[in-house]
């Protein structure tokens, strides 16, 4: 099979790219996805999101035991099927703040990755409740819903508590300014999850003669000659294409490159893979957000289950005080349920609630490595969580902010008493609690980071350095985390890349 363009991975970025790049009837595009079509009805129910992990459409990874997390190893869900991790995610749509993208522009020297540069892509993607105001998109493929009265009364009290401390009231997190209180914006339409496959791979798109979709097809390696990819080896045979885009996600895109002989020489040698191209930082720079789960409270009255996705309102702020402005450093979220890590007893639903807390721009960096040439050889995932003093200090500040909000009079009607962390007197006590309480916020990224420096894995055009016809377009290329969840930014990267291809055709 021969195509003009092959996209590996039909997840969040890949589904969008397949739709946009097959608009031109003259370009033959193949989208190759390891998993199948999502059929489980639970995917559509927003409240089910924490319960649908470990099913057959989850790659179901685990990290190595983490010294920063009291030796715990975390489960990392990743979607396997059309829609990718948008089948599993917690539905929050957070673009990031202006300063986040100033960091991206600085890292790449490319104004396309600034807030202003990305704004046309965000606008094109979204069909937002507030759409048409010049800031939020209207009529795009992905619904973004900013709930009003549908937010739980507990989350409303949480928002009032933050406002009582001087935090600004925001209308959603997507204006470039994130410090303040607001309900979360959600990728939900008429009460249902919308995956990127549903949003972009519509029946009309699938009917195009220019698009071939291969599901249940695992790409096992790239074949390389000099500085070109000549083809893809897949579980269903060989596929050839002039241009290749990897959208297999922050774990599988670098892993596929490593299995094909591209990467850090010592990693390839240890895995028994001959090195074709040494790229020392490939698989490095692994980033993720953690959330402390949680600052737990026994409730004075029944906490009705969330009608949304459980953590209904995230409040971003600076560590030095509730009225400080700029780029957020910490976050406190309202969990409308007793959310805890596996290290603590979880009270019965309805009897307790959790304030989640975390650091927006952790400086800890990890890595992923292959252990052998086959996709069946397990990946080593080593995030090195909380390995910097900066991250441990800011996590303590985030816990402090959660407890200050949790103790506010606006929450008196809900709070019976604090259950966790319980008595903590010293920084060492707080660190020990955080190490046991933290869970992943599910944002692995950065393993093929884009940049203008010599060590960057991908160029500001998302081309893999050293290979002429290969781009990486997914969460791997983030040069730095955005303050909040990263899905919207991944979509904006894909849309911006697609525009570049379409304009230069
Ligand atoms: C449980 C969970 C909750 C989350 N909550 C949120 C949230 O509320 N808000 C938010 O912004 N973000 C959230 N995220 C993060 C967000 O979903 C991801 O960052 C985003 O979906 C990543 O997109 P991607 O295109 O990089 O990868 P994916 O969407 O993971 O797509 C990769 C695709 O490639 C396929 N693939 C991989 N390897 C191969 C191969 N060798 N051959 C063929 N196909 C392959 C995979 O099956 C998959 O379909 C969450 C993630 C999870 C898992």
């Amino acid at each position: 099979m021969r195509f003009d363009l092959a996209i590996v991975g039909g997840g969040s970025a890949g589904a969008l790219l397949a739709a946009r790049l097959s608009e031109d009837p003259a370009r033959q595009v193949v989208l190759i996805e390891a998993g199948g079509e999502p059929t489980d009805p639970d995917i559509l129910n927003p409240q089910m999101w924490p319960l649908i992990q470990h099913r057959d459409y989850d790659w179901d990874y685990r990290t190595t035991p983490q010294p920063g997390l009291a030796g715990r190893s975390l489960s990392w869900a990743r979607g396997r099927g059309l829609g990718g991790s948008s089948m599993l995610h917690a539905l929050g749509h957070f673009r990031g703040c202006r300063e986040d993208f100033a960091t991206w522009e600085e890292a790449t020297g490319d104004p396309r990755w600034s807030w202003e540069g990305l704004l046309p892509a965000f606008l094109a993607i979204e069909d937002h409740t507030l759409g048409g105001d010049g800031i939020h998109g209207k009529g795009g493929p992905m619904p973004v819903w900013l709930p009003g009265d549908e937010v739980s009364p507990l989350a409303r009290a949480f928002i009032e508590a933050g406002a009582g401390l001087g935090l600004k009231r925001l209308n959603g997190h997507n204006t470039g300014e994130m410090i303040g209180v607001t309900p979360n914006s959600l990728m939900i339409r008429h009460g249902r999850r919308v995956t990127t496959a549903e949003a972009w791979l519509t029946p009309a798109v699938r009917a195009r003669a220019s698009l071939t979709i291969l599901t249940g097809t695992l790409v096992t390696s790239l074949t390389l000659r000099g500085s070109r990819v000549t083809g893809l080896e897949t579980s269903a045979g060989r596929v050839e294409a002039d241009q290749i885009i990897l959208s297999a996600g922050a774990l599988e895109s670098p892993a596929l490159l490593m299995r094909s002989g591209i990467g850090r020489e010592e990693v390839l040698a240890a895995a028994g893979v001959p090195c074709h191209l040494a790229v020392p930082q490939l698989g490095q720079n692994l980033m993720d957000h953690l959330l402390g789960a949680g600052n737990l409270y026994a409730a004075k009255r029944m906490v009705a289950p969330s009608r949304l996705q459980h953590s209904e309102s995230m409040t971003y702020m600076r560590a030095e005080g509730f009225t400080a402005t700029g780029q957020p450093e910490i976050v406190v979220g309202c969990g409308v349920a007793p959310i805890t890590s596996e290290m603590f007893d979880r009270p019965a639903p309805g009897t307790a609630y959790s304030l989640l807390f975390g650091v927006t721009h952790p400086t800890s960096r990890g890595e992923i490595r292959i252990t052998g040439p086959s996709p069946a050889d397990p990946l080593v995932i080593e995030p090195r969580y909380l390995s910097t003093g900066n991250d441990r200090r800011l996590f303590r500040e985030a816990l402090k902010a959660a407890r200050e909000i949790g103790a506010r009079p606006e929450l008196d009607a809900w709070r019976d008493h604090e259950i966790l962390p319980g008595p903590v007197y010293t920084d060492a006590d707080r660190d020990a609690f955080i190490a046991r309480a933290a869970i992943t916020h599910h944002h692995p990224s950065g393993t093929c980071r884009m940049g203008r420096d010599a060590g960057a894995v991908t160029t500001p055009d998302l081309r893999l350095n050293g290979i002429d016809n290969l781009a990486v377009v997914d969460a791997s290329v983030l040069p730095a985390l955005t303050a909040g969840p990263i899905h919207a930014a991944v979509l904006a990267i894909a849309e911006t890349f697609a525009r570049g291809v379409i304009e230069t055709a």
Side-chain angles (χ1 to χ4, degrees):
M1 285 187 279
R2 186 160 188 93
F3 299 86
D4 297 314
L5 185 77
I7 301 166
V8 180
S12 296
L16 182 156
L17 288 168
R20 294 287 276 122
L21 296 175
S22 63
E23 282 170 12
D24 180 351
R27 183 185 295 116
Q28 284 298 319
V29 175
V30 62
L31 175 66
I32 311 173
E33 167 55 46
E37 298 277 355
T39 52
D40 182 350
D42 289 344
I43 293 172
L44 301 178
N45 179 348
Q47 290 129 54
M48 286 294 287
W49 83 262
L51 304 176
I52 60 175
Q53 294 165 28
H54 314 298
R55 297 188 183 177
D56 62 358
Y57 48 90
D58 179 2
W59 288 80
D60 206 4
Y61 293 101
R62 279 206 92 78
T63 69
T64 55
Q66 294 296 291
L69 299 184
R72 296 154 58 219
S73 102
L74 300 191
S75 155
W76 273 17
R78 297 280 92 193
R80 182 183 180 118
L82 284 182
S85 297
S86 76
M87 292 188 290
L88 299 178
H89 73 39
L91 304 114
H93 182 84
F94 298 69
R95 290 174 174 176
C97 65
R98 216 169 243 286
E99 294 86 351
D100 296 339
F101 301 109
T103 306
W104 289 21
E105 184 180 10
E106 171 60 29
T108 56
D110 190 330
R112 275 177 303 177
W113 304 117
S114 67
W115 171 263
E116 286 76 16
L118 284 161
L119 191 55
F122 283 124
L123 290 171
I125 289 162
E126 298 166 352
D127 188 15
H128 197 291
T129 315
L130 307 175
D133 60 357
I135 301 172
H136 301 91
K138 188 180 177 67
M142 180 53 79
V144 184
W145 175 50
L146 181 58
D149 290 345
E150 297 84 353
V151 168
S152 99
L154 172 66
R156 262 181 267 150
F158 169 82
I159 287 171
E160 291 310 317
L165 284 163
L167 281 154
K168 190 173 168 180
R169 289 178 196 274
L170 301 176
N171 215 0
H173 291 106
N174 292 307
T175 61
E177 183 186 9
M178 284 177 78
I179 292 191
V181 289
T182 171
N184 297 340
S185 308
L186 304 169
M187 288 169 276
I188 293 179
R189 181 185 282 140
H190 308 313
R192 286 171 69 245
R193 176 196 293 270
V194 176
T195 68
T196 56
E198 182 178 341
W200 274 277
L201 300 177
T202 61
V205 169
R206 288 167 183 250
R208 287 178 188 157
S210 54
L211 179 61
T212 302
I213 301 179
L214 303 176
T215 53
T217 306
L218 180 75
V219 177
T220 51
S221 65
L222 317 177
T223 45
L224 298 155
R225 188 175 316 126
S227 60
R228 287 190 73 77
V229 182
T230 55
L232 304 173
E233 300 303 332
T234 85
S235 55
R238 186 173 164 82
V239 173
E240 293 187 347
D242 294 337
Q243 298 289 329
I244 315 292
I245 301 175
L246 295 190
S247 298
L251 305 181
E252 287 299 332
S253 284
L256 182 56
L257 290 165
M258 291 181 207
R259 287 181 203 118
S260 310
I262 300 176
R264 203 177 174 82
E265 280 168 288
E266 54 269 37
V267 171
L268 302 183
V273 176
C275 180
H276 181 89
L277 176 69
V279 182
Q281 291 196 27
L282 202 150
Q284 306 282 301
N285 196 46
L286 175 62
M287 309 181 283
D288 190 20
H289 286 130
L290 286 172
L291 281 177
N295 172 207
L296 180 70
Y297 295 89
K300 203 181 258 179
R301 53 203 263 209
M302 168 79 179
V303 181
S306 169
R307 290 188 293 155
L308 308 176
Q309 38 60 280
H310 311 293
S311 54
E312 298 189 355
S313 170
M314 304 297 277
T315 296
Y316 293 87
M317 63 195 95
R318 298 282 303 171
E320 68 259 32
F322 293 99
T323 53
T325 56
Q327 188 174 24
E329 292 177 303
I330 57 175
V331 60
V332 178
C334 180
V336 186
I339 304 170
T340 64
S341 78
E342 77 288 1
M343 300 299 280
F344 300 98
D345 291 335
R346 192 170 296 168
T351 66
Y353 57 93
S354 288
L355 299 190
L356 307 168
F357 54 96
V359 176
T360 57
H361 299 91
T363 52
S364 300
R365 294 288 181 271
E367 67 176 302
I368 72 140
R369 298 189 296 274
I370 55 167
T371 56
S374 157
D377 296 316
L379 286 184
V380 174
I381 303 174
E382 210 164 80
R384 301 196 190 105
Y385 286 125
L386 294 171
S387 55
T388 66
N390 171 77
D391 294 356
R392 292 190 294 274
R393 177 183 69 79
L394 286 173
F395 240 103
R396 293 193 294 270
E397 295 294 333
L399 172 60
K400 183 168 157 235
R403 298 179 91 187
E404 275 184 70
I405 294 174
R408 286 287 303 177
E410 292 84 353
L411 283 160
D412 281 354
W414 293 94
R415 183 187 56 255
D416 188 75
H417 63 277
E418 188 192 67
I419 304 173
L420 292 175
V424 279
Y425 302 108
T426 64
D427 282 354
D429 292 343
R430 291 181 194 94
D431 285 352
F433 169 68
I434 290 162
R436 286 157 48 83
I439 56 175
T440 176
H441 204 352
H442 303 286
H443 305 151
S445 50
T447 45
C448 299
R449 73 171 174 88
M450 61 169 148
R452 57 175 153 180
D453 59 300
V457 176
T458 47
T459 68
D461 287 330
L462 309 187
R463 302 278 160 191
L464 190 91
N465 271 315
I467 301 286
D468 299 336
N469 60 339
L470 179 64
V472 184
V473 186
D474 60 22
S476 318
V477 300
L478 263 67
L481 282 165
T482 52
I486 62 171
H487 189 259
V490 172
L491 295 183
I493 288 172
E495 172 65 21
T496 302
F497 179 86
R499 286 168 176 234
V501 173
I502 291 164
E503 279 159 21
T504 53

